[in-house]
Amino acid sequence: MKIVVIGGSGLIGSKLVIKLREHGHEAIAASPNSGVNTLTGEGLAKALKGASVVVDVSNSPSWEDAAVLKFFETSTRNLLTYEAAAGVGHHVALSVVGTERLSESGYFRAKIAQEKMIKNSAIPYSIVHATQFFEFLKGLADISFDGDKVRLPSVLFQPMAADDVASAVGRIAVGPPVNGTVEIAGPEQFRLDELVRERLAALKDPREVIADPNALYSGAKVSLRTLMPDNTARLGETRFENWLTQSAAQIPSRKGG
């Protein structure tokens, strides 16, 4: 089966391409680096020729409100148009658990717009809502740092390893379209501030993490369960402690230059 992965050179996309190829599929990594640009349409017709499935795991280079909305609307419109012309039978898009509850955020308003376009299209689809990735915990600290402390709401979340995200998306991509949303999450619940604190400690990052009930998440106010999946979510296998050990082992030694 030919499967085109939009955003195929990114964190999830690169893992997904490898997993699909290991299972015998013709997986094409499509990104501006490989001459496929979903904003301009460049290279799309050629990349999608003969494809059964398109998986969109791309992300906007800018998180500024207007730019991110333009990215997801333009990119999704072009994808759906070229997919229809190529006879693609399944559009899979990666999105975020809680998207519909985070409309105060410009980023999540853009994701809501993206999902609406997919649902209104004639192409059969599956939308995958994933929880936060372990790999982005430091990035979360960075955008929540006020120059003095890292301020985060002490809400529940159930993050997962990027490797498990790629595996789940791959399974959905090779299956029949669900014409709805599937939630995926990690196997454990945490408090957001506590896990970011633990991640920074493992990185020997000295920044102090403060539980702040008024802190925003990507520009949106969140309550205790805003970021949580429901009890039908498909769970990944990787526990945070195991991921932490693996990621520490992957950091190359700087000895000897």
Side-chain angles (χ1 to χ4, degrees):
M1 187 188 297
K2 180 177 176 180
I3 302 170
V4 178
V5 180
I6 305 296
S9 61
L11 174 66
I12 303 300
S14 55
K15 291 176 181 289
L16 177 58
V17 166
I18 291 167
K19 289 176 187 293
L20 290 171
R21 287 175 180 167
E22 285 172 349
H23 284 86
H25 298 288
E26 181 191 353
I28 307 298
S31 69
N33 294 342
S34 65
V36 180
N37 190 320
T38 55
L39 290 178
T40 63
E42 179 196 356
L44 268 179
K46 184 180 178 183
L48 298 190
K49 188 176 181 182
S52 301
V53 183
V54 169
V55 185
D56 184 8
V57 294
S58 63
N59 212 343
S60 173
S62 167
W63 282 34
E64 188 274 321
D65 285 6
V68 74
L69 181 63
K70 184 180 179 185
F71 174 85
F72 281 117
E73 286 189 333
T74 306
S75 176
T76 303
R77 185 180 300 111
N78 283 336
L79 272 177
L80 294 170
T81 300
Y82 280 90
E83 284 171 29
V88 171
H90 190 186
H91 179 96
V92 182
L94 181 60
S95 194
V96 186
V97 163
T99 289
E100 67 285 356
R101 300 187 288 271
L102 292 161
S103 59
E104 275 184 281
S105 159
Y107 180 82
F108 287 103
R109 284 197 298 276
K111 293 299 285 183
I112 290 167
Q114 177 193 30
E115 291 185 24
K116 187 176 179 182
M117 293 173 77
I118 293 166
K119 291 171 185 174
N120 290 339
S121 161
I123 297 170
Y125 70 92
S126 302
I127 294 171
V128 185
H129 273 192
T131 53
Q132 181 63 268
F133 310 159
F134 295 151
E135 285 79 358
F136 289 164
L137 291 173
K138 182 188 176 294
L140 200 50
D142 293 344
I143 62 171
S144 306
F145 185 57
D146 65 3
D148 179 29
K149 293 176 170 53
V150 175
R151 298 184 179 277
L152 289 164
S154 187
V155 295
L156 293 171
F157 79 143
Q158 204 166 318
M160 63 191 300
D163 207 55
D164 288 349
V165 176
S167 294
V169 171
R171 282 192 289 271
I172 291 162
V174 300
V178 300
N179 293 314
T181 302
V182 177
E183 288 192 331
I184 60 174
E188 307 163 282
Q189 287 185 22
F190 300 93
R191 292 280 182 162
L192 183 59
D193 60 309
E194 290 173 2
L195 200 65
V196 171
R197 193 175 293 119
E198 191 174 336
R199 178 64 181 134
L200 292 187
L203 292 168
K204 297 183 170 52
D205 186 322
R207 289 177 293 176
E208 185 181 357
V209 178
I210 299 292
D212 181 349
N214 297 312
L216 302 179
Y217 183 89
S218 288
K221 185 90 169 144
V222 289
S223 60
L224 184 65
R225 300 190 65 83
T226 301
L227 307 179
M228 288 291 290
D230 65 27
N231 56 16
T232 61
R234 303 178 187 184
L235 303 184
E237 297 175 358
T238 309
R239 299 175 73 84
F240 181 67
E241 286 299 331
N242 294 342
W243 176 84
L244 210 53
T245 303
Q246 290 162 10
S247 61
Q250 287 166 5
I251 296 171
S253 169
R254 295 188 181 181
K255 290 178 182 176

